[in-house]
Amino acid sequence: MRFQNLTVNEGLSMGSITGFEKDSKGFLWMGTAEGLHRYDGRNFKIFKHIENDPNSLSDSYVTCLLSYQNKLFIGNNIGTIDILDEVNYTFKHIDLKAADPNFDNAIEQLIVYQDRIIINTDGAGLWQLDTKLGKLQKLEITALQNDEVKEMGMNNKQLLLLTDTKVIQTNLTSSTVLFENNKLDLTCFSPYKNQILLGTTNGLYTVSKFYKNLQKLNLPPKKRNLSSITSIRVDKESAWIGTSGGLLNYTDSLFSLYRTNTLRPFSLVNDNVSELYLDSD
């Protein structure tokens, strides 16, 4: 497999990516700790915070991205969500401190649920944003029991929440613990065919679609750092699995491993795969 690598040599401000998103015009957006990048297939345009300029990012450290209703929602490291109009490229800003003066936490993930944007924060719980009214509200999910959410997902129109030890299904009014195992340190998850893939800091596991029959998958042997799973994305036939030791493809119960090879210019540029994005096109 040939990889096209985009690095600082091609215009990135830095090599570590915090998030990807594709907008309504087909541009690919990338978040970094040094700004927001728009890629048109050839060139990068970089947006950063500019002091005393309200039409710039609130902060250059972008933590997550979401494209919704012709707007790009941009989470950052200081607890603000910037909203970029994808048509005229102007910014609006939503500061969670307006709802909670003590708020001083990074935005971790944004996801759409029932025409609202659910906001996962680093240490300050879950919030919801009514995009029509611009209203913020903190959510109280009883089943979380003060656990921090590692990742959010969707399944059958229900919101799924992953913590260190649990998978919780909720409609924001009631919630159910679908899976719990205090011996695992969960990092990410994704439905895959008739099963659920669970990434952990110590390997990759599967459970049935009913979250039963936990099994650990045998990853390629004698490869360092594969056990720490960072991200899982699924297409029609395969699961793509990011690890701290390379990129895995899982198809028909078989693994293929892709790693950096200095003798091959079209190999991965770095074995530490921290984020994955699947282009629907």
Side-chain angles (χ1 to χ4, degrees):
M1 180 175 289
R2 292 165 62 95
F3 292 88
Q4 179 187 1
N5 294 313
L6 301 175
T7 69
V8 292
N9 295 326
E10 285 72 40
L12 277 172
S13 59
M14 64 181 302
S16 181
I17 305 298
T18 57
F20 295 92
E21 188 65 294
K22 195 172 187 179
D23 70 14
S24 57
K25 293 182 177 180
F27 291 120
L28 182 63
W29 294 83
M30 306 175 197
T32 75
E34 294 183 2
L36 174 68
H37 297 60
R38 190 196 72 184
Y39 184 62
D40 62 8
R42 290 186 177 182
N43 301 303
F44 285 101
K45 180 177 177 60
I46 302 175
F47 299 80
K48 293 188 176 185
H49 171 69
I50 301 173
E51 197 70 28
N52 299 320
D53 183 357
N55 197 37
S56 70
L57 289 175
S58 298
D59 189 75
S60 292
Y61 196 135
V62 176
T63 54
C64 55
L65 300 169
L66 172 69
S67 181
Y68 178 59
Q69 295 182 338
N70 295 321
K71 293 179 173 61
L72 186 69
F73 292 78
I74 306 148
N76 62 38
N77 205 42
I78 62 170
T80 303
I81 298 173
D82 297 320
I83 305 174
L84 175 65
D85 190 305
E86 295 173 359
V87 177
N88 55 31
Y89 286 89
T90 57
F91 284 97
K92 293 182 179 179
H93 313 283
I94 295 179
D95 191 347
L96 271 72
K97 289 186 179 68
D100 180 359
N102 296 318
F103 190 93
D104 188 25
N105 304 75
I107 309 298
E108 293 281 283
Q109 186 185 359
L110 304 168
I111 192 171
V112 176
Y113 177 68
Q114 294 183 349
D115 297 324
R116 291 167 284 182
I117 294 177
I118 308 302
I119 305 162
N120 183 30
T121 69
D122 180 15
L126 296 176
W127 295 67
Q128 68 175 2
L129 171 64
D130 185 321
T131 57
K132 293 181 180 179
L133 301 177
K135 183 179 179 181
L136 283 166
Q137 179 185 354
K138 188 168 185 179
L139 298 172
E140 300 295 338
I141 308 296
T142 305
L144 279 176
Q145 298 179 337
N146 297 319
D147 291 341
E148 289 196 27
V149 174
K150 291 284 193 72
E151 188 174 43
M152 300 185 292
M154 293 290 297
N155 187 36
N156 296 326
K157 298 182 179 180
Q158 295 286 302
L159 182 65
L160 298 179
L161 309 174
L162 182 85
T163 74
D164 287 338
T165 59
K166 301 175 187 174
V167 178
I168 298 168
Q169 178 176 282
T170 181
N171 60 9
L172 304 185
T173 301
S174 60
S175 54
T176 303
V177 177
L178 300 177
F179 174 84
E180 184 171 10
N181 188 314
N182 292 323
K183 295 181 180 180
L184 298 180
D185 184 7
L186 300 171
T187 56
C188 51
F189 69 134
S190 179
Y192 174 62
K193 296 186 176 180
N194 291 319
Q195 58 190 333
I196 309 294
L197 295 176
L198 298 173
T200 76
T201 56
N202 188 32
L204 182 67
Y205 293 77
T206 66
V207 289
S208 71
K209 62 182 180 180
F210 304 108
Y211 289 87
K212 305 294 184 182
N213 305 320
L214 179 69
Q215 294 183 0
K216 187 173 185 178
L217 296 178
N218 293 319
L219 300 181
K222 299 180 181 179
K223 302 296 182 182
R224 295 180 299 170
N225 300 326
L226 287 184
S227 60
S228 182
I229 309 299
T230 58
S231 183
I232 303 172
R233 298 292 182 265
V234 172
D235 60 24
K236 292 181 180 179
E237 299 297 331
S238 303
W240 294 91
I241 300 153
T243 80
S244 53
L247 175 66
L248 287 168
N249 176 274
Y250 182 57
T251 305
D252 297 329
S253 301
L254 298 175
F255 285 102
S256 298
L257 174 63
Y258 303 95
R259 305 189 74 194
T260 301
N261 186 332
T262 56
L263 299 178
R264 296 181 179 180
F266 296 103
S267 67
L268 282 180
V269 71
N270 192 303
D271 283 339
N272 188 9
V273 180
S274 59
E275 188 74 24
L276 294 172
Y277 176 78
L278 283 180
D279 191 340
S280 58
D281 295 335

